[in-house]
Amino acid sequence: MLAVLSPGQGSQKPGFLAPWLALPGAEARLRWWSALAGVDLIQLGTEAGADEIKDTARTQPLLIAAALLAAEHLPMYDVGLVAGHSVGELGAAALAEVIPPETAITLAGVRGREMAAACALEPTGMSAVLGGDADAVVAAIEEAKLYPANRNGAGQIVAAGALDALATLTVDGARVRALPVAGAFHTPYMRPAEEALAAIAGGITTSAPARILLSNFDGTAVAHGREMLQRLVRQVTAPVRWDLCMRTLRDLGVTAIIELPPAGTLAGLVKRELKGDDAPEILTLNTPDDLPAARDLIARHGMAPSLEPTPLFRVVVAAGAGLFHPADDLTEGQPVSTGQVIGQVITRQGGVDVAAHAPGVLTEWLAHDDDPVAPGQPLARIGGPQ
């Protein structure tokens, strides 16, 4: 299985978008998206300096525009999974066809402006805690009345909160490094931004994900478009659990990963976390010169293309860890309807219904009665003629 990742804030570099403007239609696309985002994406991506593109209101739509522009030149129909880090989840949601690209760009513009405004209300910031035992690091952060805003795996947890508390934060066995950000993202300090985004999100129409879509909230695969939109709003004040997303990549047996531009940050985290014989092949897509290698990677690790008519499948996945029990009266070859319960995952908190998110035919069980399943694990294929 191949995964495409959309990076988040902090991965941007001056001029990183310039090579992409040479592609046919790219400039016109960016001008249209600039109108939606309320910022000049072309100027920001080609001429602006590091300080200008560090501005949250500008950075967020710029990152989503870059990821979506590059993805337009990939055979995404062969990609099995998408995920994004922080604001990158908007890009991932568009790549999963939960929302259109124009909606993702518009939401990124609103999100960036509102988070920048929330940052101006109180002097807050973020610091990376590098090394140390994860549980001890989180305990030290909370004891300092700060928040563990990002848990990025590979020995990296980001603390966020008031600047005076960050200045005195120390953690045994770890280094603390201040980050050049405007405020305490993914904490309750961003509540005004979450409320502003929620007011707009209520009018957005969503679709079921066309491929597996992971959520920063808990690393699980989200099966319903409306649920993903709600998670995108909640994520503004909730911690980013990228560590759990990477765990799901491993559990699903992802064999290759492409990081969209500006690429490098997520690839580095994955390389440090997913090691060994089963480590995925990773490609950082930064310029159009990287496109042939990216297409080759998709051809080798994605779904095999064919000129013959093929069924259109949707995969139903587990929302959490537990034991899977398929519905007693449902067998392969039977029709299912949207919302029909096809089984349950028995978790520590009780049973969680697994429902079909599109009509079709139960083509194949991918998990069987009493099988242990992980978050995001495929449970069944539902298909029909294309």
Side-chain angles (χ1 to χ4, degrees), residues 257-260 263 267 281-286 290 293-295 297:
I257 288 172
I258 295 173
E259 184 181 358
L260 298 171
E281 188 175 349
I282 299 173
L283 185 141
T284 52
L285 177 58
N286 277 309
D290 300 320
R295 293 170 183 145
L297 196 68

Side-chain angles (χ1 to χ4, degrees), residues 341-352:
V341 175
I342 66 169
Q344 273 198 335
V345 175
I346 308 302
T347 71
R348 292 179 180 178
Q349 289 74 38
V352 177

Side-chain angles (χ1 to χ4, degrees), residues 196-378:
L197 203 63
I200 293 174
I204 293 173
T205 300
T206 63
S207 301
R211 49 191 52 86
I212 295 174
L213 173 61
L214 303 187
S215 168
N216 282 181
F217 188 75
D218 51 12
T220 63
V222 180
H224 302 281
R226 177 55 54 178
E227 179 188 352
M228 188 62 197
L229 186 61
Q230 292 169 346
R231 284 172 174 250
L232 289 170
V233 172
R234 179 72 179 89
Q235 184 227 61
V236 174
T237 59
V240 171
R241 294 303 305 268
W242 187 248
D243 58 334
L244 299 181
C245 289
M246 290 192 293
R247 184 180 303 172
T248 302
L249 294 179
R250 182 189 59 215
D251 291 344
L252 290 177
V254 168
T255 55
I257 288 172
I258 295 173
E259 184 181 358
L260 298 171
T265 301
L266 298 183
L269 292 172
V270 171
K271 285 178 182 177
R272 290 192 291 273
E273 190 75 12
L274 305 183
K275 302 176 183 179
D277 295 338
D278 297 328
E281 188 175 349
I282 299 173
L283 185 141
T284 52
L285 177 58
N286 277 309
T287 75
D289 290 342
D290 300 320
L291 286 171
R295 293 170 183 145
D296 174 70
L297 196 68
I298 294 174
R300 289 188 288 112
H301 293 268
M303 296 184 299
S306 171
L307 296 177
E308 297 298 321
T310 57
L312 175 64
F313 293 107
R314 293 187 183 275
V315 178
V316 181
V317 299
L323 296 178
F324 178 58
H325 295 291
D328 293 335
D329 58 348
L330 192 58
T331 59
E332 292 176 355
Q334 286 187 278
V336 296
S337 57
T338 301
Q340 180 178 340
V341 175
I342 66 169
Q344 273 198 335
V345 175
I346 308 302
T347 71
R348 292 179 180 178
Q349 289 74 38
V352 177
D353 286 343
V354 177
H357 47 79
V361 173
L362 177 63
T363 306
E364 180 184 9
W365 287 115
L366 301 175
H368 302 283
D369 190 41
D370 224 25
D371 278 356
V373 295
Q377 181 172 333

